[in-house]
Amino acid sequence: MNTIEARVEELLARMTLPEKIGQMWQIHGAAPENKEFIRRGQVGSCLNVIGRDAEAFQRVARAESRLGIPLIFGRDVIHGFKTILPIPLGQAASFNPEVARDGARMAAHEAAAASIHWTFAPMVDIAHDPRWGRVAEGCGEDPYLAGCMGAAMVEGFQGSPVTTTHNGPKAQRAKAQKNLAKPGSIAACAKHYVGYGAAEGGRDYNTTLIPERTLRNTYLPPFKACVDAGACTLMSAFNDLNDVPATGNAFALRQVLKKEWKFDGFVVSDWGSVTEMIAHGYCADEKEAAFKSARAGVDMEMVSPSYSTHLEKLVADGTVPLDWIDDAVRRILRIKFRLGLFDRPVVPEIPPSVILSHEHLRVAYRAALESCVLLKNDGCLPVAAGHKTIAVIGPLANAPADQLGCWVMDGDQEAVCTPLLALRLVLGSDCLLDSPGLRNARDTGRVQFDAAEAAARVSDVILLFLGEDAGLSGEAHCRAFLELPGAQTELVDRVTKAAAGKPVIAVVMAGRPLVVQPWINQVSALLWAWHPGSMGGAAITDLLLGSEAPSGRLPISFPRTVGQVPTYYNKKNTGRPPIEGQWGAPLGTPLDPKDFTSKYMDADFTPEFTFGFGLGYTTFAYSAVTLSRTSLKPKGTLTAKVTITNTGTRPGAAVPQLYIRDLTATATRPLKELKGFQKFTLAPGESRTVTFDVGSEELAFWNGDMKFAAEPGRFHLWIAADSTCASHPPAEFALL
Ligand code: BGC
């Protein structure tokens, strides 16, 4: 038995039942009366207690409770602490796990300086519905990309050696938790396990119905990637998953997570999700909720008190076996030992001077730079030097709080660099005409429109900063409409008309994809900046002015209209696939069976912008793919190769993406699935040959017999610039 396991067993043997149950409760807040619970050993963790309050509570736990077991302090450090990174969906758009890893590392250091040991991130819920407000907090629609990004965040938070590669996270769990006890490492929590992102209608907390095969092929893989990267904890979700709330779901928690994946960390419930099983209609009362979540394998209850009130009696009357309790407590103690909490000083080892340091702002800047996705450019970008007057219009040009995005508990608004501020710094104030047009993103008043139009009329270039305020995304902040809120669409119309053909460059800050159909044809360029965080303004300015080039790619598809949702790229073919360009049917004509395809009468079936798409300031040519072999033995590997050339006149980042389709299988398979990606810069005229290895890891799936296997048969393979894979027909190979 290694030292940590021996220490866990030794401590467990000395604990009374109430002390064990105490470890399983996470309380909220720094109210002084909480000290008494801690002194009596009734608490294992505190939520939202930081800084001096945390130190005071920790002293009570260590010095005044009978066994001196340290508390673990948790907080939502989702995309930064004081220095704020782009929202996670934006980070995923970087298609660069290094951005996510460095960002999480930076956030962990700042959080650790405030006595935080544990963050409730990353969120790796796959989401196909941009109406869902929490789409902002996750890594998008693709299981592979979300797994790479989530694993990189785990590594960053936990200070682990890098285990992820461009071909995906590799299981090296032993190494993954090596540096947990070092200063500046905090425990990660992959959430919300599982299926939460499939909420019906994009309405938060709503029911999810996900067949087991889809759960295993689509929703579980990013969690597996986080577990393989060494995530210390997972959070059970709020949703009803296939008629059993996720927090009471023994299949997901005990069977898959703990048994199949051999996860040895602990599971925390979501806030009150144990007792919410009463509202779900799955438990009659708190006591039954305690029983059912303990049975399912929830080790720690967040906030609600059902464990602390009922578990002791449930053990005494034999309903809850002591084994369940011991298993949960072992897991919690194991993580506390791995984090070094028994040996660390109460006062943080990381100094507060790291917060908002120059180095941290650089990390946030780079993340913002790589997250922005250029969606349209008629040639007006980058903005040429020498314009006499530039209009800066729109409610997001100078909105520090909104620029930070949702789930920012500690972010410093004073330290936000907005686009207006950055433009003033770079260009000086004299050439800028600042006229917001609307007071905020949801404003419907038109009183400032005349001024905005006047600014557009006299300027050479118009920069239009549009989007959503931070409050339109995040938990419980879902939308039924996906247009720009307030009177922004009208603002675009008025400003573009006043501009009379001069370039109007739209920059959108938003927590999700929006429907841009009503106005996209009116603007000359569109840069999607998500909510880009503290340094968003500096990054956007450098991109607009061309000292940097956009390199982000979409981690989620953009619908043309909300009626198209869900628009994810990795759909199945159906028995009647639609034909490109096909929609509608002429009025009054007889029904023609060749028209009976899976399409819409009133909109194209394709998305506005597809997964993986993003422009830069140059162009790339992809050669046809060559394969090292066209037939593969069961355990064999082939190498796919492509040469990419920068055919433009500026440097730019190429993001080759590997997609695979299994043509026939015992269960129907998606049209394409992302299985690898890379990102690198090429100078004008420069070429690079890239390779991807393909073997059973890339080809296996949960098949018709519910086995994880690669099935013999034919496959298509593309290495392309986005998920349409339009540049070449697929290469084909067979698995024997
Ligand atoms: C959210 C979680 C979060 C928790 C703690 C819940 O409402 O769903 O994502 O980590 O609160 O703040």
Side-chain angles (χ1 to χ4, degrees):
M1 208 184 299
N2 71 33
T3 336
I4 285 186
E5 293 306 305
R7 287 178 83 181
V8 168
E9 291 310 318
E10 186 274 330
L11 182 53
L12 193 68
R14 288 194 288 133
M15 293 171 80
T16 63
L17 180 60
E19 282 166 337
K20 290 178 182 175
I21 294 167
Q23 287 302 306
M24 297 169 70
W25 192 25
Q26 179 180 64
I27 58 166
H28 172 253
E33 55 272 24
N34 284 344
K35 280 193 181 157
E36 199 39 45
F37 293 123
I38 297 168
R39 195 170 284 120
R40 285 194 244 124
Q42 288 171 333
V43 176
S45 173
C46 297
L47 167 62
N48 294 339
V49 179
I50 65 172
R52 291 274 146 73
D53 291 333
E55 289 167 28
F57 276 21
Q58 193 68 297
R59 283 195 190 93
V60 175
R62 298 283 293 274
E64 298 174 36
S65 74
R66 189 179 78 91
L67 294 170
I69 302 175
L71 296 161
I72 175 167
F73 293 97
R75 191 169 181 84
D76 293 276
V77 181
I78 305 298
H79 52 115
F81 182 62
K82 295 273 186 203
T83 306
I84 300 297
L85 300 153
I87 52 169
L89 188 61
Q91 292 180 52
S94 74
F95 268 65
N96 184 357
E98 226 175 77
V99 160
R101 191 182 301 115
D102 292 351
R105 191 86 206 109
M106 176 280 284
H109 273 254
E110 293 197 355
S115 290
I116 294 163
H117 304 136
W118 178 24
T119 177
F120 304 118
M123 184 182 115
V124 286
D125 294 313
I126 296 303
H128 294 161
D129 194 332
R131 292 173 296 180
W132 189 48
R134 303 200 80 168
V135 79
E137 291 174 62
C139 297
E141 72 189 26
D142 182 72
Y144 178 81
L145 179 66
C148 292
M149 291 296 164
M153 289 179 196
V154 169
E155 289 167 359
F157 286 128
Q158 299 192 169
S160 330
V162 175
T163 59
T164 46
T165 68
H166 71 262
N167 246 15
K170 305 282 177 218
Q172 295 187 25
R173 221 174 307 162
K175 263 207 224 152
Q177 295 187 342
K178 209 172 99 188
N179 296 332
L180 262 181
K182 293 208 172 132
S185 295
I186 64 175
C189 180
K191 70 185 189 185
H192 305 83
Y193 192 77
V194 58
Y196 185 44
E200 271 182 7
R203 192 154 55 81
D204 207 5
Y205 315 122
N206 211 356
T207 304
T208 66
L209 289 165
I210 309 173
E212 183 182 337
R213 189 168 11 258
T214 311
L215 195 69
R216 288 185 181 273
N217 283 326
T218 302
Y219 292 88
L220 286 166
F223 286 96
K224 173 76 162 54
C226 290
V227 168
D228 287 344
C232 290
T233 70
L234 264 80
M235 184 185 292
S236 69
F238 285 128
N239 53 299
D240 174 346
L241 172 65
N242 301 334
D243 307 330
V244 178
T247 292
N249 205 305
F251 167 73
L253 292 166
R254 280 213 193 272
Q255 170 64 28
V256 177
L257 175 66
K258 293 184 174 177
K259 198 158 160 227
E260 294 177 23
W261 298 353
K262 304 188 170 41
F263 171 69
D264 70 357
F266 71 88
V267 174
V268 64
S269 76
D270 203 342
W271 185 303
S273 66
V274 171
T275 49
E276 283 175 19
M277 293 201 291
I278 301 167
H280 273 293
Y282 187 65
C283 301
D285 51 28
E286 242 186 34
K287 189 172 176 188
E288 195 179 357
F291 164 68
K292 287 193 170 168
S293 50
R295 182 180 65 180
V298 171
D299 304 306
M300 183 183 280
E301 182 176 10
M302 185 185 282
V303 183
S304 53
S306 78
Y307 278 9
S308 91
T309 316
H310 301 287
L311 274 185
E312 204 179 328
K313 275 178 252 130
L314 286 166
V315 172
D317 69 17
T319 316
V320 165
L322 190 59
D323 278 358
W324 293 358
I325 308 287
D326 282 346
D327 178 56
V329 177
R330 246 184 218 114
R331 290 167 178 276
I332 295 165
L333 294 178
R334 180 179 295 137
I335 296 303
K336 289 186 173 183
F337 277 115
R338 284 186 188 162
L339 280 166
L341 298 184
F342 288 83
D343 311 305
R344 282 188 187 195
V346 166
V347 176
E349 294 133 296
I350 300 283
S353 56
V354 299
I355 287 172
L356 291 166
S357 65
H358 182 71
E359 194 192 321
H360 285 191
L361 292 172
R362 285 288 315 167
V363 172
Y365 167 79
R366 179 181 172 210
L369 205 60
E370 291 208 37
S371 313
C372 290
V373 187
L374 183 62
L375 296 175
K376 176 178 178 180
N377 185 13
D378 71 0
C380 62
L381 279 178
V383 174
H387 286 300
K388 283 204 292 290
T389 315
I390 298 178
V392 181
I393 299 175
L396 270 299
N398 195 29
D402 293 327
Q403 178 176 321
L404 294 182
C406 63
W407 266 120
V408 170
M409 303 188 74
D410 306 280
D412 192 337
Q413 285 182 40
E414 302 295 311
V416 172
C417 177
T418 65
L420 183 62
L421 189 69
L423 285 162
R424 279 192 185 135
L425 284 173
V426 176
L427 299 174
S429 298
D430 291 352
C431 68
L432 297 176
L433 259 185
D434 151 37
S435 183
L438 290 162
R439 282 164 306 177
N440 57 58
R442 285 190 237 179
D443 186 6
T444 51
R446 276 100 173 142
V447 285
Q448 299 178 19
F449 275 20
D450 290 349
E453 284 172 298
R457 242 176 253 122
V458 299
S459 299
D460 307 311
V461 180
I462 294 93
L463 304 179
L464 199 45
F465 292 91
L466 308 163
E468 294 182 313
D469 54 277
L472 278 180
S473 53
E475 184 176 353
H477 290 67
C478 304
R479 296 186 62 191
F481 296 95
L482 289 175
E483 280 77 26
L484 286 169
Q488 292 186 71
T489 303
E490 196 180 325
L491 178 67
V492 180
D493 191 49
R494 298 272 290 265
V495 166
T496 48
K497 283 187 178 133
K502 289 176 292 184
V504 176
I505 296 156
V507 178
V508 174
M509 296 189 191
R512 54 161 69 75
L514 295 175
V515 166
V516 299
Q517 283 254 318
W519 52 270
I520 181 130
N521 291 334
Q522 291 172 269
V523 298
S524 326
L526 172 58
L527 182 73
W528 209 265
W530 316 99
H531 285 133
S534 306
M535 293 300 285
I540 290 167
T541 298
D542 289 349
L543 292 170
L544 295 179
L545 301 182
S547 54
E548 297 285 349
S551 67
R553 301 292 186 265
L554 293 180
I556 185 165
S557 307
F558 275 45
R560 292 171 191 271
T561 159
V562 76
Q564 270 189 329
V565 170
T567 35
Y568 59 101
Y569 83 96
N570 43 359
K571 286 177 184 285
K572 303 210 185 158
N573 200 31
T574 81
R576 294 188 177 193
I579 299 157
E580 208 175 311
Q582 184 190 35
W583 59 284
L587 195 67
T589 51
L591 293 174
D592 180 349
K594 78 172 181 311
D595 210 33
F596 279 53
T597 61
S598 179
K599 62 170 187 346
Y600 294 107
M601 290 297 289
D602 45 8
D604 198 314
F605 67 91
T606 58
E608 183 79 51
F609 298 113
T610 191
F611 175 86
F613 174 74
L615 303 167
Y617 292 152
T618 187
T619 45
F620 294 103
Y622 280 63
S623 72
V625 171
T626 55
L627 302 180
S628 59
R629 52 172 60 91
T630 51
S631 65
L632 205 56
K633 296 210 181 94
K635 291 217 165 80
T637 307
L638 65 78
T639 303
K641 195 154 85 170
V642 81
T643 301
I644 303 164
T645 307
N646 181 344
T647 49
T649 54
R650 289 174 160 270
V655 185
Q657 300 158 35
L658 170 73
Y659 292 95
I660 291 182
R661 178 178 180 189
D662 188 343
L663 290 172
T664 315
T666 54
T668 54
R669 305 292 296 129
L671 279 168
K672 272 168 207 146
E673 289 180 291
L674 182 74
K675 292 294 175 183
F677 58 87
Q678 301 181 28
K679 185 176 191 180
F680 49 84
T681 301
L682 290 179
E686 193 187 354
S687 293
R688 186 184 289 190
T689 299
V690 298
T691 58
F692 290 94
D693 292 339
V694 176
S696 56
E697 199 174 322
E698 283 70 34
L699 306 180
F701 70 107
W702 289 86
N703 69 11
D705 302 325
M706 210 52 107
K707 300 243 159 56
F708 188 68
E711 292 186 347
R714 284 161 57 227
F715 293 81
H716 279 171
L717 180 153
W718 301 258
I719 302 173
D722 64 50
S723 63
T724 57
C725 300
S727 57
H728 291 279
E732 193 172 317
F733 66 92
L735 180 65
L736 302 173

